[in-house]
DNA sequence: ATTAATGTTCAGAA
DNA sequence: TTTCTGAACATTAA
């Protein structure tokens, strides 16, 4: 489920070993598993990237961006179960990409590992990058989004606020887990229509977004019970121990008296909230 | 043993 | 134009 905090953790985790290194090669499915979707084809990507220096490892919403010295961007999208790993992959059969580095200091390779295989990898030339991953596709990053940006977007849709928050053009980086946690922190019922929220309420959501995501980054993201998400060294995150409502249906609300956490379905995804303190 | 559920995104339909 | 549905895939729980 890598959302913003998990992708930020991945990026930080591989950054020190990868930035400034030369990419010797990128190899698809080194263990002959089913290949992930790669655009364009792997052969032309190899031709273009072999020998190039990786100038920066960056996060773009829920994507990992490798920026090369000629301005090319190789963008990995972990989707549901993808991980960027510097070492110790959980198993061999779900390794989807291997990045071989030059013989200098630090690790000799890093990997993209993806159990379900829904992840993607795309090469963008520098001009393409801005236009293909620009504001038509991604809204403001959840950590940087201003009140005005929140307000304009909320006013412009009748969708439930929880559903709108999952739309990456509305706000980029929030996923199903953190949407529930943010709305609980904000005391806002997930089913409320975005265009009916007051300014004060929208500001509470904005503040809670920054607080929750920052906190989750500090704990290196959430590792769920199925163990999908891990950091760059294949270790558990810690934020799952701080979830207030996610996957806690039937338990008492941890922040109010008398509330019991409920699970409902919105847009075919689980939503968790406390009916007592989220209005 | 079959079915539902699980994080995300996108194409295609309403 | 905006919003909704189902599919991509692997694995676990009921």
């Amino acid at each position: 489920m890598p959302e913003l905090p998990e992708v930020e953790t991945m990026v930080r985790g591989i950054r020190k070993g990868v930035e400034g290194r030369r990419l010797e090669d990128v190899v698809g499915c080194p263990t002959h598993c089913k290949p992930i979707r790669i655009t364009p084809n792997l052969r032309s990507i190899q031709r273009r990237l072999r020998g190039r220096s990786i100038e920066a490892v960056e996060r773009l919403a829920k994507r990992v961006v490798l920026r090369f010295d000629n301005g090319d961007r190789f963008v990995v999208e972990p989707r549901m179960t993808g991980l960027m790993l510097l070492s110790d992959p959980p198993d061999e059969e779900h390794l989807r990409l291997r990045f071989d580095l030059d013989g200098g200091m630090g690790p000799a390779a890093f990997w993209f590992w993806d159990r379900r295989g829904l992840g993607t990898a795309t090469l963008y030339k520098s001009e393409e990058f801005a236009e293909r991953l620009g504001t038509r596709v991604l809204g403001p990053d959840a950590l940087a989004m201003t009140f005005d940006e929140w307000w304009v977007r909320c006013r412009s849709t009748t969708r439930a606020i929880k559903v709108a928050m999952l739309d990456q053009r509305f706000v980029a980086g929030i996923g199903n887990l953190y949407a529930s946690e943010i709305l609980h922190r904000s005391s806002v019922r997930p089913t409320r229509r975005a265009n009916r929220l007051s300014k004060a309420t929208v500001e509470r959501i904005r503040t809670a977004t920054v607080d929750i995501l920052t906190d989750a980054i500090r704990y290196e993201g959430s590792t769920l019970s199925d163990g999908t998400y891990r950091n760059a060294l294949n270790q558990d995150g810690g934020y799952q121990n701080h979830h207030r409502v996610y996957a806690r249906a039937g338990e008492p609300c941890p922040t109010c008296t008398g509330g019991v956490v409920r699970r409902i379905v919105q847009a075919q995804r689980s939503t968790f909230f406390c009916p007592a303190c989220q209005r």
Side-chain angles (χ1 to χ4, degrees):
Chain A
M1 49 86 218
E3 304 181 27
L4 185 151
E6 289 76 26
V7 177
E8 180 64 28
T9 304
M10 285 178 205
V11 163
R12 292 182 186 187
I14 66 169
R15 180 173 281 149
K16 19 187 180 312
V18 170
E19 280 188 350
R21 304 285 299 279
R22 206 159 49 82
L23 186 73
E24 297 281 2
D25 204 359
V26 50
V27 181
C29 287
T31 51
H32 311 291
C33 62
K34 187 160 201 227
I36 58 165
R37 207 176 82 222
I38 301 176
T39 314
N41 60 76
L42 185 62
R43 221 168 292 285
S44 53
I45 286 173
Q46 289 166 332
R47 250 199 322 273
R48 195 155 169 103
L49 294 185
R50 276 188 189 128
R52 298 229 83 100
S53 175
I54 302 172
E55 292 217 314
V57 181
E58 294 160 336
R59 179 182 63 76
L60 179 66
K62 302 178 190 174
R63 294 161 166 88
V64 178
V65 180
L66 306 178
R67 179 161 57 80
F68 287 84
D69 53 8
N70 62 349
D72 281 3
R73 312 292 210 291
F74 194 59
V75 178
V76 175
E77 207 179 331
R79 298 268 181 114
M80 301 286 254
T81 51
L83 302 178
M84 294 296 277
L85 294 169
L86 263 189
S87 65
D88 199 21
D91 59 48
E92 295 285 311
E93 68 260 31
H94 299 101
L95 284 176
R96 312 285 176 163
L97 290 171
R98 189 184 73 221
F99 300 85
D100 292 330
L101 298 171
D102 62 57
M105 295 269 286
F110 61 103
W111 296 275
F112 180 62
W113 180 95
D114 187 359
R115 178 158 60 74
R116 286 177 73 172
L118 298 174
T120 67
T122 309
L123 177 70
Y124 299 96
K125 297 175 188 176
S126 79
E127 332 79 62
E128 269 180 336
F129 178 71
E131 78 189 52
R132 301 283 303 285
L133 286 180
T135 53
R136 294 176 58 84
V137 177
L138 296 172
D141 190 84
L143 282 179
M145 189 158 156
T146 65
F147 171 79
D148 284 346
E149 290 171 327
W150 274 102
W151 180 245
V152 166
R153 284 167 172 73
C154 284
R155 296 301 293 188
S156 67
T157 182
T158 60
R159 286 179 294 177
I161 180 63
K162 158 73 159 43
V163 175
M165 287 167 72
L166 296 180
D167 180 348
Q168 299 300 294
R169 289 165 310 184
F170 183 96
V171 50
I174 298 174
N176 199 46
L177 190 162
Y178 291 104
S180 282
E181 292 295 324
I182 287 165
L183 290 173
H184 179 257
R185 172 83 64 106
S186 318
S187 307
V188 174
R189 195 166 290 229
T191 49
R192 289 186 65 188
R193 292 182 181 274
N195 63 337
R196 306 282 295 277
L197 301 173
S198 70
K199 284 194 171 184
T201 302
V202 172
E203 173 58 13
R204 282 211 313 281
I205 295 172
R206 188 195 67 80
T207 304
T209 297
V210 175
D211 290 350
I212 295 264
L213 296 179
T214 303
D215 224 27
I217 290 170
R218 180 158 49 240
Y219 285 96
E220 301 200 307
S222 303
T223 297
L224 302 184
S225 56
D226 63 356
T228 39
Y229 168 72
R230 332 271 297 175
N231 72 12
L233 303 178
N234 189 26
Q235 299 159 331
D236 280 7
Y239 195 69
Q240 64 281 2
N241 301 318
H242 300 264
H243 296 168
R244 303 285 195 185
V245 290
Y246 181 79
R248 293 191 175 283
E251 298 180 27
C253 174
T255 57
C256 77
T257 47
V260 174
V261 177
R262 277 187 55 195
R263 172 187 180 271
I264 60 173
V265 174
Q266 292 179 284
Q268 301 144 252
R269 332 275 303 276
S270 290
T271 297
F272 299 90
F273 73 103
C274 169
C277 65
Q278 291 176 257
R279 303 289 180 177

